[in-house]
Amino acid sequence: MKEIKSIGVLTSGGDAPGMNAAVRAVTRAAIYTGMKVFAIYRGYEGLINGEIKEFTTESVSSTIQRGGTILKTARSEEFMTEDGRKKAYENIVKFGIDALIVIGGNGSLAGAQQFALEFDIPCIGLPGTIDNDLFGTDSTIGYDTALNTIVECVDKIRDTATSHNRIFFIEVMGRDAGFLAMNSAIASGAEAAIIPEDRTDIDQLEQFISRGVRKSKNSSIVLVSESKKDGGGAMHYAERVRKEYPQYDVRVTILGHLQRGGTPSAFDRILASRMGVAAILALTEGQRNIMVGISNDQIVYVPFSRAIKFDKPINQNLVTVLGILSI
Ligand code: F6P
């Protein structure tokens, strides 16, 4: 097996708080191990266009506390083409990069998997997404910070909701995963969460209404996952209540991209630091084409095929807890 003397690192897809802590950890652990580090800007776009610069330990100084990604990011359509990946590989060869570390979500790791299949380049993925939707890891980098941001916002909305006796549908991100909606509902004491994983025949809105917009409660907060599956989205449910239950005063808040910003939580910084170091260790141990994950506080290596293809389930205990506590 070829010795890894230099690595490339990039962030791809939606930015997530803690990505900088991950870049910092990868950079420093690689240099500590004797490797050269090439920072690749704007994700796969930058790899295709040669936006590549050598990093030193100082390049990542004072970045652990910063939100967003210092490497910038992109959702590269060109990398989805064979031609794009060929151009990317030409730059890998040109810069003498022996292995690639990709920090991103589902789509980004799927890109890494494809790239490693087609070309002779070991790839290691770090789960960087606020959605927490990668299989094989208890948490993704950025999820905890986004969750805390949402809870802070919901607390504020509750003040106005209770003042006016209103039902608020608050839409949160997560793409097609309900982790942010479900856990922020529990943490903010919301009355319900409408999530895409709950695809039973039972209408989640009916269920919420029939359980009670309880008499003694004069306002309600419902966290809605942005997923458009089954109609989805906060607007959709608000419209339905206006039509079907006109006695309720309804408002909608879509939290949007503020959920992705802000200084990373201590949890995300530590997670990213551990995962970044583990990515370099994995390479020195001869691991290839895996995502670094965390399970029961232990670092694990998850083959790309499992991390990407399997649907990560929502813990049913959370559904039960929310149901019990929102009476
Ligand atoms: O995957 C992260 C995420 O924030 C999703 O929750 C959301 O659906 C999507 O990215 C939004 O993407 P964009 O920033 O490209 O609008």
Side-chain angles (χ1 to χ4, degrees), residues 12 34 90 106-107 142 161 170 203 209 222 246 302 312:
S12 164
E90 280 161 15
N106 226 305
I170 304 176
D203 181 327
I209 297 277
V222 181
V302 190
K312 182 167 161 184

Side-chain angles (χ1 to χ4, degrees), residues 109 126-129 132-141 143 179 267 271 275 291-296 298-302 306-307 312-313:
L109 300 196
L126 294 193
T129 167
N132 200 31
D133 59 348
L134 283 157
F135 186 88
T137 187
D138 291 343
S139 194
T140 57
I141 298 164
Y143 170 65
F179 296 96
F267 181 90
L271 181 68
M275 286 181 165
M291 178 192 83
V292 175
I294 192 136
S295 175
N296 295 323
Q298 298 301 313
I299 291 288
V300 290
Y301 301 143
V302 190
R306 286 179 68 77
K312 182 167 161 184

Side-chain angles (χ1 to χ4, degrees), residues 72 80 84 106 130 134 152 172 181 190 218 223 234 254 256 297 299:
K72 310 222 179 263
M80 289 181 194
N106 226 305
I130 64 165
L134 283 157
E152 212 181 303
V172 298
N218 55 22
L223 268 296
I254 297 173
D297 203 36
I299 291 288

Side-chain angles (χ1 to χ4, degrees), residues 15-62:
D15 58 286
M19 276 185 165
N20 290 329
V23 171
R24 172 181 178 269
V26 165
T27 301
R28 296 226 167 134
I31 293 172
Y32 178 88
T33 316
M35 298 172 184
K36 269 185 167 192
V37 177
F38 289 100
I40 301 158
Y41 287 83
R42 294 197 314 116
Y44 294 119
E45 281 293 296
L47 187 56
I48 291 168
N49 298 318
E51 297 166 50
I52 299 171
K53 180 179 140 187
E54 190 171 345
F55 258 21
T56 63
T57 50
E58 287 76 30
S59 310
V60 289
S61 293
S62 198

Side-chain angles (χ1 to χ4, degrees), residues 14-15 75 129-131 173-175 180 226 257 260:
D15 58 286
R75 300 189 193 279
T129 167
I130 64 165
D131 300 341
M173 282 187 169
R175 207 174 285 276
L180 285 170
E226 68 177 343
H257 285 79
R260 286 229 299 257

